[in-house]
Amino acid sequence: MSETISIPLSKRVGGIGPSATLAASERANQLRAQGVDVLDLGPGQPDFDTPEHIRDAGVRAIREGRTRYTPAAGIPDLREAIADMYSHREGVVYRPNEVMVTAGGKQGLFNIFAAVLNPGDEVIVPTPYWVSFPEQIKLAGGIPVYVDTEESDAFSLRAETILDAVTDRTRMVVLNTPSNPSGAVIGREQMQDLARLAIERGIYLLVDECYAALIYDGAEHVTPLVVGPEAQNITILCGSCSKAYAMTGWRIGYVAAPAPLIKACSSLQGHSTSNATSISQYAALEAITGDQTPVRQMLTTFAERRDAVIPRIREIPGMTTVEPRGAFYAFPNISELLNDELPTSADFATWLIDECHVVTVPGTAFGRDGHLRLSYATSMSVLEEALDRIAAACEKLA
Ligand SMILES: Cc1ncc(COP(=O)(O)O)c(C=O)c1O
């Protein structure tokens, strides 16, 4: 018998673990398969179907045989529609060669880190952060430099927060607005200060705006371009159809950035995945240029759920929470509920699954222990039952 040969993995992938958010959903599915009545507050995706007119556009693309390779950076009509959307929204000119289509926002971000970073370059990542930022930065050879936003300041990101972290090696600051997991939205004045700082120091502001369509209470979504076209050189916008149009499975994202960076990213994509799925691109064209009523309807439903969930969380002894202003997550502080048996939020989340069969994502996944992420991208009845169960479980800890 030949010996089993074990060829080692690269150092690059050595430190990467599975995504904690996907892991939480997998755990829920495993328990369900065993017949356990699990309630899942882990989902990072809308619980709605893709609107019909968008699905129809995908079906039409298949019927019309639009099933071949497209240019790596996307079909011209879609690039033009994205450029128009940004030009209109931002009040500056974006040309089609300054935008590209990617396989989800995730690939857009991956392309950007790979195209900008050299080994040892630093990227400032405010906490709490979305799980994939640090891993993608490290894969590109960069070093994530974490700065904490203050919970007492509703997790707002301010220029003062990042000032001390900027060094000669800083290439980029990641701005995720609205934020997953905190729901914080960067305000106009804060964004102006951040943009001025980035222009002065010659660093990119990478705005992950995957949740830009999901903002409550009339809050506005702003980008570094609030200071005018002089910010265009340092601004990278990364958007997605996933959350706004309930299109997570279609895998369409997009990037707007200076033309040389888009050119580099599209060459990179041309040698890796090539184009995002042709059929999905036609569906995305309909999503972006077609009727926006479904987006408003989904937003209204998310807002109703948020308004129901936040007061319920605040009633649970030991839990406090900031009100999210965007996205579809609450990020309560549970530090008062931690103890010697449950020292971290990861232990607490596992305990919640065992104790009351409710799946949440621990704050450790987002660089902020002492918190839980609860998704309200699920029905009101599931939310109510899950919060009843969590409240009853927490009473046992008191
Ligand atoms: C903050 C943030 N950015 C990017 C993404 C990527 O989404 P997609 O690749 O589906 O566009 C997600 C998905 O959860 C997210 O939460």
Side-chain angles (χ1 to χ4, degrees), residues 26 48 53 95 135 156-157 161-162 174 200 205 214 221 228 237 239 264 281 286 295 299 309 328 348 361 367 386 393:
E26 268 166 38
F48 306 108
H53 66 109
R95 297 185 182 82
E135 305 302 341
S156 299
L157 182 65
T161 321
I162 62 165
V174 177
E200 193 188 305
L205 294 179
L214 303 178
H221 175 68
L237 305 175
Q281 290 191 60
E286 173 62 27
V295 183
L299 181 61
V309 160
F328 41 68
F348 192 87
V361 186

Side-chain angles (χ1 to χ4, degrees), residues 21 44-45 103-107 109 130 133 176 178-180 208-211 238-243 247-249 251-253 329 373:
T21 42
Q45 59 181 336
K106 227 174 216 179
Q107 190 186 24
L109 295 164
W130 176 54
F133 293 138
N176 178 206
S179 154
N180 171 8
D208 176 343
E209 51 166 30
C210 287
Y211 296 89
C238 184
S240 171
C241 289
S242 287
K243 322 284 176 173
M247 288 179 72
T248 47
R251 310 306 304 131
I252 294 289
Y329 310 103
R373 191 190 75 174

Side-chain angles (χ1 to χ4, degrees), residues 3 41 100 108 158 200 220 244 263 282 286 289 318 327 345 381:
E3 272 181 43
L41 301 190
M100 72 180 291
R158 298 173 184 277
E200 193 188 305
E220 57 172 349
K263 196 168 170 219
Y282 287 98
E286 173 62 27
T289 59
S345 55
S381 60

Side-chain angles (χ1 to χ4, degrees), residues 210-279:
C210 287
Y211 296 89
L214 303 178
I215 291 201
Y216 310 108
D217 302 333
E220 57 172 349
H221 175 68
V222 287
T223 75
L225 296 162
V226 279
V227 299
E230 66 268 31
Q232 217 163 347
N233 272 342
I234 55 96
T235 299
I236 305 171
L237 305 175
C238 184
S240 171
C241 289
S242 287
K243 322 284 176 173
Y245 302 107
M247 288 179 72
T248 47
W250 297 77
R251 310 306 304 131
I252 294 289
Y254 40 88
V255 177
L261 181 51
I262 291 296
K263 196 168 170 219
C265 287
S266 75
S267 298
L268 189 70
Q269 193 163 293
H271 288 293
S272 50
T273 58
S274 296
N275 59 276
T277 308
S278 60
I279 301 152

Side-chain angles (χ1 to χ4, degrees), residues 96-261:
N97 69 343
E98 292 166 307
V99 306
M100 72 180 291
V101 184
T102 56
K106 227 174 216 179
Q107 190 186 24
L109 295 164
F110 192 92
N111 288 345
I112 292 159
F113 293 130
V116 171
L117 300 179
N118 282 309
D121 284 348
E122 295 173 359
V123 180
I124 297 178
V125 180
T127 77
Y129 51 70
W130 176 54
V131 289
S132 295
F133 293 138
E135 305 302 341
Q136 290 201 355
I137 292 164
K138 286 186 265 177
L139 275 171
I143 301 171
V145 175
Y146 303 110
V147 294
D148 291 339
T149 58
E150 295 298 327
E151 188 172 4
S152 56
D153 191 23
F155 298 110
S156 299
L157 182 65
R158 298 173 184 277
E160 306 92 89
T161 321
I162 62 165
L163 205 50
D164 289 345
V166 178
T167 72
D168 291 346
R169 308 247 38 184
T170 308
R171 294 285 167 270
M172 214 185 275
V173 184
V174 177
L175 312 180
N176 178 206
T177 182
S179 154
N180 171 8
S182 74
V185 170
I186 299 179
R188 178 171 284 261
E189 274 176 33
Q190 284 102 309
M191 192 59 95
Q192 283 167 342
D193 292 346
L194 288 161
R196 287 190 197 111
L197 176 70
I199 293 169
E200 193 188 305
R201 302 298 292 262
I203 52 183
Y204 278 122
L205 294 179
L206 166 56
V207 185
D208 176 343
E209 51 166 30
C210 287
Y211 296 89
L214 303 178
I215 291 201
Y216 310 108
D217 302 333
E220 57 172 349
H221 175 68
V222 287
T223 75
L225 296 162
V226 279
V227 299
E230 66 268 31
Q232 217 163 347
N233 272 342
I234 55 96
T235 299
I236 305 171
L237 305 175
C238 184
S240 171
C241 289
S242 287
K243 322 284 176 173
Y245 302 107
M247 288 179 72
T248 47
W250 297 77
R251 310 306 304 131
I252 294 289
Y254 40 88
V255 177
L261 181 51

Side-chain angles (χ1 to χ4, degrees), residues 2-3 7 78 105 145 171 191 267 272 298 305 319 324 366 376 392:
S2 67
E3 272 181 43
I7 299 174
L78 182 54
V145 175
R171 294 285 167 270
M191 192 59 95
S267 298
S272 50
M298 285 190 263
R305 292 174 185 169
M319 273 197 203
F366 309 98
Y376 45 93

